[in-house]
Amino acid sequence: MKRPFLLVVLFCLLPASSSLLAAPAAAKPNILLIVADDLGYNDVGFQGGRDIPTPHLDKLAASGVRCTSGYVSYPVCSPSRAGFITGRYQQRFGHEFNPRWNLESKIDGLPLSQSTMGDALRGAGYTTGVIGKWHLGAHPQFHPNRRGFDEFYGFLGGGHRYLPGSHVDVEVGAGKKMETHADAEHASPMLRNTVEEPEPPELTTKLGEEAAASVTRHARDAKPWFLYLAFNAPHTPLQARTDMLAKFAHIADERRRTYAAMVATVDEAVGRVLGALDATGQRERTLVFFFSDNGGPMTKRNANASHNGILRGQKGDIFEGGIRVPFVVSWPGRLPAGRSYAEPVIALDVLPTALAAVGVKRDPKLPPLDGVNLLPFLTGETKTPPHARLFWRMDDGAAFAVREGKWKWFRTYENAPQLYDLVADPSEKNDLVAKHPEVAARLAASVAEWNRGLVAPVWFNNPFGGFINLPGPGKTAVP
Ligand code: CA
């Protein structure tokens, strides 16, 4: 009879801090990579958005460094993910299009020659997991469990319906409203590792619950962990929980209202995960990254009523609106809090930054990374920019871009080369090619040099038109 009482007394004598209840301080930090999908540059509070409250994401940004020139390496989903999951420009290994949805294809997926962030951290003694959207190949050979991840909960395709049984996507594309039946990809099974599970009541909510459960489950492990939490929201289809929609009843436009509810659901899910980190005493030994896989699609296919603020263009463009994204790095006690960092950084930096935080060297037998360790730059220890130049190539060379300091040069198959001063002109309005031809020539030459290190796409996928269906693009468009 007395033992339970004793236990209660002992429990009450423990300090209020939960850290003593959690695992002993690990020498190596956990890594939490949170990716949103098709999130507009202006659609979270810490980016200046006003109509969609995102208190949890704002708190995350306030706890770390907000990179105001944070880029992804491609303006659509899968190539962008292939870039940051390998730390390499994905055109170096031919991953230049979204994979076609085909469970039988051994072609359409992250080439098996490539090593992932999961491989690297699992090799460093980490428990590794993916929760959410994979989109790096649907054939079993591309399954996350075979690409460096011990644990997987999610779906293999590039998108998914949020509400079970819903069958209609409403999209606005090419200026007209289209209704299409949700295809097999958006209704593909939810998988726990390789085992099918019933669809949850609402997908984004479930992904947050799963991530919080993972963080809690591994809190007391001897091993540190790496979790890649890949939301598919706020990518289309536009669907949200009824209670969340009610919070945005004041937004007259139905599409924007639904989009707002979806972004708020992502924010709520992030809050759930960060709350689990706090509750288990892991927050200060967890390095957190957050960004969107590409810019918001406003008028093209998959348009979701997102806003990219002052940036020109959208998902699918190499204008800033396609490739510059909300981007946060947070590691309390190790990185400054509430800081903005303006030098260009790119999602390819996530892997080398994580390896540096973990204290692991890249296997010298593997090809070199294109990203850099951002930690000394974000602490202010290193004053020079992390990158001399960042590069983009789209659709097998139908469009190219380079950023060097304040300069952005680009050309597309359709357009003559253009040059912008992004510090003075972040909206890319004033073409300076005629005023600074020497800068334009230098940057064009740098792109051509970079392009020589790339290969042709392993597969093509552009069912909605675009550059590659035009005569004569492809590698003939090299500047
Ligand atoms: Ca995307």
Side-chain angles (χ1 to χ4, degrees):
M1 285 296 286
K2 286 187 176 174
R3 190 167 292 163
F5 175 72
L6 251 183
L7 282 175
V8 169
V9 169
L10 281 173
F11 187 83
C12 293
L13 288 174
L14 285 170
S17 162
S18 59
S19 59
L20 281 183
L21 299 175
K28 294 178 177 179
N30 304 312
I31 308 291
L32 175 58
L33 169 58
I34 307 174
V35 177
D37 195 349
D38 290 13
L39 176 65
Y41 189 74
N42 207 49
D43 287 332
V44 286
F46 70 80
Q47 292 287 95
R50 290 289 168 265
D51 61 339
I52 309 174
T54 53
H56 300 293
L57 286 165
D58 297 351
K59 186 179 169 191
L60 176 66
S63 75
V65 183
R66 181 170 75 96
C67 298
T68 55
S69 294
Y71 289 96
V72 288
S73 60
Y74 207 85
V76 305
C77 309
S78 183
S80 170
R81 288 154 197 266
F84 66 73
I85 210 75
T86 61
R88 307 181 69 219
Y89 285 115
Q90 60 283 347
Q91 300 94 338
R92 294 198 189 283
F93 46 88
H95 196 132
E96 199 164 345
F97 290 89
N98 281 327
R100 297 160 293 190
W101 177 249
N102 180 353
L103 300 172
E104 306 299 317
S105 173
K106 294 185 174 182
I107 301 292
D108 295 66
L110 181 68
L112 300 182
S113 59
Q114 300 305 305
S115 172
T116 71
M117 190 166 169
D119 292 318
L121 288 168
R122 185 156 72 175
Y126 276 60
T127 301
T128 54
V130 180
I131 292 173
K133 163 172 165 171
W134 180 237
H135 208 201
L136 293 171
H139 187 278
Q141 71 177 10
F142 298 122
H143 190 281
N145 289 156
R146 297 175 78 164
R147 306 309 305 270
F149 292 96
D150 300 312
E151 300 175 353
F152 173 56
Y153 173 81
F155 53 92
L156 297 173
H160 205 281
R161 61 191 181 191
Y162 298 88
L163 306 175
S166 54
H167 290 298
V168 179
D169 280 353
V170 179
E171 295 183 347
V172 175
K176 65 181 182 193
K177 192 169 179 178
M178 303 180 293
E179 288 202 356
T180 58
H181 287 284
D183 55 18
E185 187 172 4
H186 278 212
S188 71
M190 297 305 300
L191 299 174
R192 188 171 305 278
N193 295 319
T194 55
V195 180
E196 288 188 26
E197 291 203 353
E199 279 185 70
E202 197 282 319
L203 181 54
T204 302
T205 312
K206 175 67 169 174
L207 299 182
E209 291 168 353
E210 286 286 332
S214 175
V215 160
T216 303
R217 185 167 69 244
H218 293 301
R220 296 175 64 88
D221 291 355
K223 294 168 74 174
W225 50 261
F226 162 45
L227 178 61
Y228 168 30
L229 172 54
F231 292 106
N232 56 312
H235 194 297
T236 53
L238 290 173
Q239 297 175 336
R241 283 187 345 234
T242 306
D243 65 308
M244 206 48 108
L245 285 168
K247 290 185 184 179
F248 296 94
H250 57 282
I251 297 180
D253 178 70
E254 183 188 354
R255 294 170 55 75
R256 180 70 180 175
R257 185 191 321 142
T258 310
Y259 172 84
M262 294 168 75
V263 173
T265 308
V266 169
D267 183 71
E268 177 189 77
V270 168
R272 200 181 295 269
V273 183
L274 298 180
L277 279 181
D278 286 334
T280 52
Q282 300 182 91
R283 185 63 185 87
E284 297 208 339
R285 56 187 172 90
T286 302
L287 168 59
V288 183
F289 300 91
F290 172 82
F291 55 87
S292 178
D293 70 337
N294 49 252
M298 299 186 300
T299 59
K300 294 182 179 177
R301 181 181 155 81
N302 299 135
N304 61 2
S306 52
H307 293 166
N308 291 323
I310 62 168
L311 300 186
R312 180 177 178 181
Q314 56 184 305
K315 176 182 181 180
D317 293 339
I318 53 173
F319 291 118
E320 294 290 283
I323 53 178
R324 189 162 161 184
V325 293
F327 198 118
V328 170
V329 188
S330 166
W331 192 6
R334 299 296 296 271
L335 291 176
R339 186 175 176 211
S340 285
Y341 185 75
E343 296 291 350
V345 304
I346 191 163
L348 305 179
D349 298 331
V350 167
L351 173 51
T353 302
L355 290 182
V358 167
V360 167
K361 292 262 186 288
R362 170 91 164 166
D363 181 345
K365 294 193 292 293
L366 295 172
L369 298 171
D370 288 307
V372 301
N373 167 23
L374 292 177
L375 295 176
F377 301 97
L378 300 184
T379 59
E381 179 189 338
T382 303
K383 307 291 185 197
T384 52
H387 298 275
R389 299 186 185 97
L390 296 174
F391 298 101
W392 292 266
R393 183 178 88 176
M394 267 197 79
D395 288 3
D396 192 24
F400 287 93
V402 53
R403 170 117 193 224
E404 179 197 84
K406 69 179 184 180
W407 298 113
K408 161 105 172 266
W409 175 98
F410 77 89
R411 60 149 295 176
T412 68
Y413 179 73
E414 300 167 305
N415 300 304
Q418 299 172 48
L419 179 71
Y420 296 99
D421 174 349
L422 288 184
V423 172
D425 177 26
S427 301
E428 299 174 280
K429 288 179 177 166
N430 306 307
D431 178 12
L432 299 174
V433 161
K435 195 171 174 190
H436 296 284
E438 76 295 346
V439 175
R442 183 179 77 237
L443 293 181
S446 76
V447 169
E449 171 63 24
W450 172 72
N451 187 64
R452 281 193 275 277
L454 310 182
V455 300
V458 175
W459 70 89
F460 292 83
N461 179 15
N462 204 345
F464 313 106
F467 297 124
I468 69 161
N469 293 333
L470 297 171
K475 287 176 286 300
T476 58
V478 170

